[in-house]
Amino acid sequence: LITLYHLIFIVKIKNNMTICILGNGLTALTLAKALTKQNIYVDVLYNIKHSNIDKIRTIGISKSNIEFLNKNVININKLLWKLNIIEIYSDNLKKEKLIHFEKHNNQIFSTVKNYKLYQLLFNDLSKNKYFKSKLVNPKNLSFIKKYDLIINCDSLNFLTKKFFNNKLVKKYNSNAYTTIITHEKIKNDVAVQIFTKRGPLAFLPISNTQTSIVYSIPNNLSVSKENIEKLIRDQNIKYRIKNIKKINNFELRFLNLKIYYHKNILAFGDLLHKIHPLAGQGFNMTIRDIKIFLDIIKKKLEVGLPIDKSVSIEFQEAVKHKNLIFSNGIDFIHEFFNIERKIKSNFLSKTVKKISNYKSINNIFTKIADRGIFF
């Protein structure tokens, strides 16, 4: 009898539970879909329509994160371009290979076009009975008081500026230039990162005829977008390029939020952390956050506990130290090769090449890239 009452109480909590998400970007929709899959009602409140999504931007997703998304969010296999090998080079060793990641010809990483993943989530949620979205005034969010838990994924509303300003910030004084090259058809399953004399350059395949480019260049070099095209062609080591699409750019910053929540409002996604794109780990960190957040939600529902500000407290305790260590690790990699670029020496590259030849160390690097620092 007690067990029956307990089960009725849990069902009542699930039926009455509505979580509010502020913002309607990729992180917000991914989180919304994960929650609705647990039969939790989600209200997404936003102030900017994403009508013109950047069709140039691509994201990398690790194998373990793909498995999580497929099981707990939405199946994305049709969107993926699977990569079996990751290679890292350095200009200082005349483009000799520093590190080679390969896992017995199995997928170790995949790329996906940002807008395609967004559209998949948006179309699915539009037909979901647990999901509602509404355009709101960012200056008047007084009505959110009715929610027990609010997840803030919006950097522009007043809540972000008022409650989530205590953060560690580092400006790289660099811009990331992104584009897509179209080239002759090849077997295109190898991601390449080159630490050039101007900054890290990534070639990320998205099909057998197209490859995404991310080139991070310090501002003091003051290159034009026309120069970027020439630099990409000069650094290209295997593609017969037919066309280079429009080049976009954005400022690079390192960020870690010190306090993740204010009362029942939890910051999420880019509000928590931003890292250098050289390792393609930005969205992967967010997916790992969603995984832990979802585990906390599930455990509370299992025992009939309310979904309120206690979720935010547990979430911060579970992930803050992991995010700080991992993001600083990415920053260390950037500074490591940045120092070498400045001193014009190949000693550091030679050291990395020697260390990476040890199979056990190479396996550790592969696991960290896949699962994070605490795999």
Side-chain angles (χ1 to χ4, degrees):
L1 189 61
I2 294 174
T3 304
L4 180 60
Y5 281 136
H6 184 240
L7 289 173
I8 292 172
F9 182 61
I10 293 173
V11 171
K12 186 177 180 182
I13 287 176
K14 292 185 82 169
N15 289 340
N16 294 332
M17 173 57 56
T18 301
I19 291 178
C20 174
I21 298 178
L22 301 178
N24 68 336
L26 185 58
T27 295
L29 294 192
T30 305
L31 189 53
K33 176 57 182 172
L35 291 170
T36 58
K37 202 162 185 179
Q38 297 302 312
N39 298 335
I40 296 172
Y41 289 94
V42 177
D43 289 351
V44 166
L45 310 179
Y46 60 95
N47 58 73
I48 296 177
K49 290 185 179 180
H50 283 257
S51 56
N52 295 314
I53 301 173
D54 185 357
K55 293 189 176 182
I56 295 295
R57 187 180 175 189
T58 58
I59 51 178
I61 307 178
S62 69
K63 185 179 179 181
S64 63
N65 280 338
I66 290 167
E67 291 168 354
F68 168 76
L69 290 174
N70 285 341
K71 182 179 179 180
N72 297 281
V73 183
I74 194 168
N75 192 298
I76 62 171
N77 283 335
K78 291 183 179 179
L79 305 182
L80 301 174
W81 187 256
K82 298 179 180 179
L83 306 177
N84 297 324
I85 301 171
I86 298 175
E87 295 177 343
I88 299 176
Y89 296 82
S90 172
D91 266 0
N92 286 327
L93 287 182
K94 297 181 180 178
K95 295 184 182 176
E96 284 185 40
K97 194 185 302 180
L98 297 184
I99 305 176
H100 179 93
F101 295 118
E102 187 172 3
K103 202 173 181 181
H104 307 297
N105 291 320
N106 290 325
Q107 167 200 2
I108 59 176
F109 211 71
S110 292
T111 53
V112 59
K113 290 185 177 180
N114 185 294
Y115 81 96
K116 285 191 174 182
L117 178 54
Y118 184 91
Q119 287 179 337
L120 177 69
L121 289 164
F122 180 83
N123 292 338
D124 182 274
L125 285 167
S126 298
K127 299 174 285 186
N128 194 314
K129 69 176 184 179
Y130 293 100
F131 175 81
K132 290 181 181 178
S133 65
K134 183 180 179 181
L135 184 64
V136 297
N137 182 347
K139 296 180 180 179
N140 181 18
L141 299 178
S142 58
F143 54 88
I144 66 175
K145 293 178 181 178
K146 69 178 183 178
Y147 298 101
D148 292 323
L149 182 62
I150 301 157
I151 304 168
N152 186 18
C153 302
D154 182 5
S155 62
L156 299 178
N157 63 50
F158 79 92
L159 295 174
T160 300
K161 297 174 183 177
K162 186 174 182 179
F163 300 123
F164 301 110
N165 262 324
N166 190 7
K167 52 197 173 186
L168 297 171
V169 178
K170 173 182 176 180
K171 290 186 177 181
Y172 286 113
N173 296 316
S174 298
N175 273 278
Y177 295 85
T178 60
T179 187
I180 292 175
I181 61 172
T182 302
H183 48 76
E184 289 186 7
K185 187 175 181 180
I186 63 169
K187 184 181 178 182
N188 204 16
D189 63 351
V190 181
V192 173
Q193 176 85 57
I194 304 172
F195 288 96
T196 77
K197 291 179 174 63
R198 292 177 176 82
L201 166 64
F203 290 84
L204 304 171
I206 53 177
S207 75
N208 282 331
T209 58
Q210 287 193 319
T211 298
S212 175
I213 305 292
V214 183
Y215 202 168
S216 304
I217 300 178
N219 295 335
N220 60 4
L221 295 181
S222 61
V223 295
S224 66
K225 290 185 178 180
E226 291 73 22
N227 293 144
I228 298 295
E229 285 197 22
K230 183 179 184 306
L231 292 172
I232 290 171
R233 293 180 186 276
D234 290 344
Q235 291 291 339
N236 168 45
I237 57 176
K238 64 177 179 180
Y239 299 113
R240 293 186 177 181
I241 299 174
K242 293 181 177 180
N243 173 261
I244 298 178
K245 292 185 180 293
K246 177 185 175 183
I247 296 173
N248 295 330
N249 67 290
F250 58 90
E251 183 187 16
L252 294 178
R253 290 197 305 165
F254 170 94
L255 179 150
N256 265 287
L257 195 64
K258 291 183 178 180
I259 304 296
Y260 281 20
Y261 62 91
H262 173 77
K263 295 182 178 179
N264 66 330
I265 306 171
L266 174 66
F268 218 90
D270 285 349
L271 297 186
L272 296 181
H273 41 67
K274 288 184 179 180
I275 58 174
H276 199 286
L278 65 88
Q281 287 291 329
F283 192 57
N284 283 291
M285 289 183 70
T286 294
I287 296 173
R288 294 180 195 120
D289 286 347
I290 293 174
K291 181 179 180 180
I292 293 172
F293 178 82
L294 201 60
D295 285 342
I296 294 171
I297 295 288
K298 287 179 179 179
K299 288 175 183 176
K300 286 190 175 291
L301 291 176
E302 285 172 2
V303 296
L305 291 174
I307 308 301
D308 54 17
K309 66 179 181 181
S310 63
V311 172
S312 301
I313 297 169
E314 291 183 34
F315 176 75
Q316 176 174 288
E317 290 176 350
V319 304
K320 183 181 175 182
H321 64 289
K322 295 179 182 180
N323 286 337
L324 187 61
I325 294 172
F326 189 81
S327 57
N328 274 287
I330 301 299
D331 181 61
F332 173 79
I333 294 171
H334 168 264
E335 292 301 335
F336 182 90
F337 285 99
N338 197 34
I339 289 171
E340 183 178 63
R341 178 178 63 83
K342 289 178 178 178
I343 65 176
K344 299 179 181 180
S345 167
N346 62 13
F347 173 76
L348 297 178
S349 289
K350 286 182 176 180
T351 304
V352 170
K353 183 177 181 180
K354 187 173 182 179
I355 292 174
S356 67
N357 287 332
Y358 292 98
K359 188 175 180 180
S360 58
I361 294 177
N362 191 287
N363 287 339
I364 290 172
F365 287 157
T366 304
K367 287 181 179 179
I368 290 174
D370 183 38
R371 299 178 181 274
I373 198 75
F374 298 95
F375 50 81

